[in-house]
Amino acid sequence: MIIKEKAPIDANIEQLKTIINLPNLSEAKVLRAKTELKRLTSGNQGEKDSAYFIDFYYKNSPNWAIIHDLRIEHNGLVAQIDHILINRFLDFYILETKHYARSIKITEHGEFLVSFQKSYRAIESPIEQNKRHIKVLKNLLQGEEILPKRLGIPLQPHFLAYVLVSPKSRVIRPKAKDFKTDAVIKSDEFYKQTRDNLNNESILTTLGSITKIISSESLQQIAKNLVSYHRPSQFDYYKKFSISRERDNQHPVSIEQTKKTKYYCYCCKQPISKKVAMFCFNNKIRFDGKAYCFDCQKQFPLKSS
């Protein structure tokens, strides 16, 4: 059963597109915004791809609860978790999604490198990310007493962490003796991994799981309680890129431009430059396909979904 779907990122994407089309933004800031937009859309696509495979196998099962895109805060710590799967044995699968168009390389020291042009660049280890996510989640579950009790004692969850990459990505791994990479799998193989985990459990582990098995109703309630701690955040890219909404939107029209321009503000009828008009036309969802001067643009805040 799906308890929480992935939240749309349309507002963030529109904000970045608006920044990219600001009339007098510096080339350096435009480049930063374009890079961030590419990263955001790529990551979003990766999460969608993984969600497809997860939902395909588990959304109709009463034995599993699915939570997509959960952001939790506890004791000053934050965890942004791409996907969580919980079963009736209280196995918590914590999944971090990474989308790479070409290849990802993992060194014998556990460093993650992604293909970039004709070389590789280092990225934050998603394995370590998951470890931090589990720490925050574990503290939240215990601190808020979300898990059910037996004989007055809270049932203990079992955490399993995996990094899901695109089925089309090439994963270059070190030798197992140097650094274990079993936690990095392709998203279309995740279902097989969960089946293998169940089949490979020892007799003692199986008996221990049976003693704490919960009902489907309890499973659903646990997941809903966890989702109630979701704290979404909308990123302010103006602040991140040190862009003043007022200063960087100022692009006065000269007398010469006023005489030559064929563009006018739809609201106040004042002449505007072609660049300002194109900015509005490129953001037709926000401005309804009409052109406005900078003062009148303030009437149209960024739309969120």
Side-chain angles (χ1 to χ4, degrees):
M1 65 192 89
I2 300 176
I3 306 302
K4 181 184 178 301
E5 299 277 7
K6 174 175 170 51
I9 61 170
D10 299 4
N12 285 341
I13 289 177
E14 185 179 348
Q15 184 182 159
L16 283 168
K17 288 183 177 179
T18 298
I19 289 174
I20 290 170
N21 287 298
L22 287 174
N24 64 335
L25 194 65
S26 68
E27 291 185 8
K29 290 182 179 180
V30 169
L31 179 59
R32 288 185 64 191
K34 286 183 176 180
T35 301
E36 182 69 15
L37 179 61
K38 183 177 180 181
R39 183 200 66 78
L40 186 66
T41 52
S42 176
N44 186 57
Q45 186 59 52
E47 290 181 35
K48 284 184 177 180
D49 292 344
S50 294
Y52 168 79
F53 292 110
I54 292 169
D55 294 349
F56 182 87
Y57 289 107
Y58 299 106
K59 72 176 181 179
N60 295 321
S61 173
N63 300 317
W64 291 85
I66 303 170
I67 300 173
H68 295 301
D69 184 28
L70 183 72
R71 182 182 181 276
I72 54 177
E73 301 176 0
H74 189 69
N75 289 338
L77 299 176
V78 178
Q80 179 78 51
I81 306 174
D82 292 338
H83 317 276
I84 300 178
L85 268 75
I86 314 169
N87 62 24
R88 293 175 58 199
F89 296 113
L90 285 184
D91 292 328
F92 279 68
Y93 281 83
I94 311 303
L95 309 175
E96 176 73 17
T97 294
K98 294 298 179 186
H99 183 74
Y100 305 112
R102 297 179 182 176
S103 64
I104 179 171
K105 182 178 181 180
I106 310 171
T107 72
E108 63 273 17
H109 302 295
E111 183 179 14
F112 280 71
L113 308 171
V114 295
S115 177
F116 181 72
Q117 295 179 352
K118 295 183 179 181
S119 60
Y120 283 91
R121 61 181 178 87
I123 63 167
E124 182 180 4
S125 168
I127 292 178
E128 295 302 318
Q129 276 183 289
N130 262 344
K131 289 179 180 179
R132 294 193 294 272
H133 292 165
I134 290 176
K135 180 178 179 180
V136 178
L137 179 59
K138 186 176 181 180
N139 290 341
L140 177 67
L141 292 172
Q142 293 176 345
E144 302 300 328
E145 299 184 354
I146 295 175
L147 297 175
K149 297 180 180 180
R150 293 273 169 85
L151 301 176
I153 301 174
L155 298 178
Q156 295 302 307
H158 178 214
F159 295 101
L160 302 98
Y162 288 94
V163 178
L164 304 184
V165 298
S166 169
K168 298 180 180 180
S169 295
R170 180 190 178 199
V171 182
I172 304 172
R173 306 173 187 265
K175 294 180 180 179
K177 65 180 181 64
D178 295 327
F179 184 80
K180 297 188 69 173
T181 62
D182 297 347
V184 182
I185 60 177
K186 296 191 175 184
S187 54
D188 60 341
E189 297 178 349
F190 175 69
Y191 175 74
K192 178 180 180 298
Q193 182 66 55
T194 61
R195 305 310 304 168
D196 290 345
N197 289 346
L198 290 173
N199 293 334
N200 293 335
E201 282 189 347
S202 66
I203 295 178
L204 288 177
T205 302
T206 302
L207 290 175
S209 297
I210 292 175
T211 61
K212 67 178 182 181
I213 191 171
I214 59 175
S215 66
S216 295
E217 292 74 20
S218 294
L219 171 63
Q220 186 174 357
Q221 191 58 54
I222 290 170
K224 286 183 176 179
N225 288 344
L226 183 55
V227 169
S228 72
Y229 289 91
H230 175 60
R231 299 293 181 266
S233 66
Q234 183 175 331
F235 209 90
D236 187 349
Y237 290 104
Y238 283 88
K239 183 177 180 181
K240 179 176 181 177
F241 300 142
S242 300
I243 298 173
S244 167
R245 295 175 186 266
E246 296 296 329
R247 187 196 67 227
D248 287 314
N249 266 327
Q250 293 171 357
H251 188 73
V253 183
S254 66
I255 296 176
E256 290 74 15
Q257 288 176 314
T258 300
K259 293 178 179 178
K260 297 178 181 179
T261 187
K262 61 179 181 179
Y263 299 98
Y264 296 85
C265 174
Y266 182 81
C267 182
C268 68
K269 310 306 180 184
Q270 292 298 312
I272 57 177
S273 70
K274 179 180 179 180
K275 201 167 187 179
V276 173
M278 290 300 105
F279 166 70
C280 294
F281 296 150
N282 289 334
N283 291 274
K284 60 182 180 181
I285 295 178
R286 179 181 175 188
F287 299 111
D288 196 27
K290 301 177 178 65
Y292 296 89
C293 67
F294 291 116
D295 287 336
C296 293
Q297 285 177 24
K298 297 174 183 178
Q299 304 175 49
F300 301 88
L302 290 174
K303 295 182 180 181
S304 58
S305 50

